[in-house]
Amino acid sequence: MAKLALLFIFCVVVAAALPVFSSNGQGAEDLEKWFRGKGQNTEKLTKLHFYYHDLRGKTSVLVAQQQNSSPKSPKFFGMTSIMDDPLTAGPEFKSKLVGRVQGLFSSSAINEPSHLLCVMNFVFTDDKYNGSTLTVVGYNPTLQKHRELPVVGGTGVFRLARGVAQLKFFYFDVPGGNATVEYNVIVQHY
Ligand SMILES: *[C@@H]1O[C@H](CO)[C@@H](O)[C@H](O)[C@H]1NC(C)=O
Ligand SMILES: *[C@@H]1O[C@H](CO)[C@@H](O)[C@H](O)[C@H]1NC(C)=O
């Protein structure tokens, strides 16, 4: 009787621990099968449009800064923030949430405080993209009107993604540090 009860508990625990399988499948064998079969799939082109909201001190925080600075290498050089910003379908902060962008940005140019190195994971939560991610790593000269960053990879529906994210400020409150950035992303993936 005790053995049966233990077996029952074991099964319940195992069932609870089983991953929820997406249409791609998530086990190592499923992944290999997907890679071997991807030649039969046509490459897809997906366009995404959303807004990202960065509230300085709230959704993004300064985590590192150089201690000593000189006029040649002022204090902003090396300033690094970490962010977890909401992504929305429309430009308003309260419009529909479609995901989050989590990552780091650093002031990476000695003479230009506004030139950033961005390392970002876009984590989508909406509809068919729920649970899928895109990784964007690149150079972001924030004061230029049109900027583009490379999409270097993805997961879920975006496996083997590569593409480009174009961005521009929709709104930027310089003293307050609130920014809303419009993103147009185009990616090829299988
Ligand atoms: C996204 O997936 C998570 C985890 O599977 C689930 O809890 C959530 O309800 C889903 N969200 C939407 C909008 O479908
Ligand atoms: C920045 O945005 C937050 C949230 O929307 C708001 O509470 C805050 O007042 C804004 N700050 C400024 C300076 O606009």
Side-chain angles (χ1 to χ4, degrees):
M1 205 54 200
K3 267 188 192 157
L4 256 183
L6 267 180
L7 183 66
F8 175 73
I9 289 165
F10 176 74
C11 289
V12 168
V13 169
V14 167
L18 278 176
V20 182
F21 281 89
S22 73
S23 56
N24 277 337
Q26 291 176 346
E29 277 174 31
D30 291 316
L31 185 61
E32 183 176 338
K33 213 183 280 173
W34 184 86
F35 264 86
R36 291 191 187 283
K38 84 177 164 50
Q40 294 140 32
N41 298 337
T42 50
E43 211 171 17
K44 300 176 192 85
L45 198 65
T46 297
K47 293 201 289 183
L48 301 166
H49 178 245
F50 51 81
Y51 295 82
Y52 122 8
H53 304 268
D54 188 72
L55 310 180
R56 194 191 296 159
K58 287 182 186 156
T59 65
S60 75
V61 291
L62 185 68
V63 291
Q65 196 165 30
Q66 61 167 321
Q67 298 246 309
N68 304 307
S69 59
S70 68
K72 201 157 189 303
S73 176
K75 206 158 182 178
F76 52 74
F77 180 55
M79 266 172 51
T80 298
S81 296
I82 191 156
M83 63 172 147
D84 183 355
D85 289 343
L87 304 176
T88 59
E92 297 81 26
F93 192 73
K94 294 214 150 40
S95 78
K96 189 183 180 203
L97 189 72
V98 296
R100 306 197 69 84
V101 54
Q102 300 171 339
L104 291 164
F105 55 95
S106 295
S107 184
S108 58
I110 286 181
N111 297 315
E112 295 283 352
S114 56
H115 289 201
L116 305 179
L117 159 70
C118 291
V119 181
M120 304 182 285
N121 290 321
F122 288 83
V123 184
F124 299 100
T125 51
D126 192 38
D127 200 23
K128 63 183 174 190
Y129 304 123
N130 191 7
S132 297
T133 69
L134 285 174
T135 296
V136 170
V137 178
Y139 168 63
N140 186 358
T142 55
L143 298 185
Q144 287 177 19
K145 194 159 182 237
H146 293 283
R147 294 162 270 144
E148 59 178 61
L149 300 177
V151 177
V152 298
T155 62
V157 301
F158 295 124
R159 278 178 182 170
L160 293 178
R162 62 211 190 290
V164 166
Q166 281 188 324
L167 41 150
K168 60 178 183 219
F169 281 117
F170 181 80
Y171 167 81
F172 189 22
D173 162 31
V174 179
N178 281 4
T180 299
V181 184
E182 183 177 2
Y183 267 75
N184 275 296
V185 181
I186 185 156
V187 282
Q188 285 180 308
H189 58 99
Y190 285 92

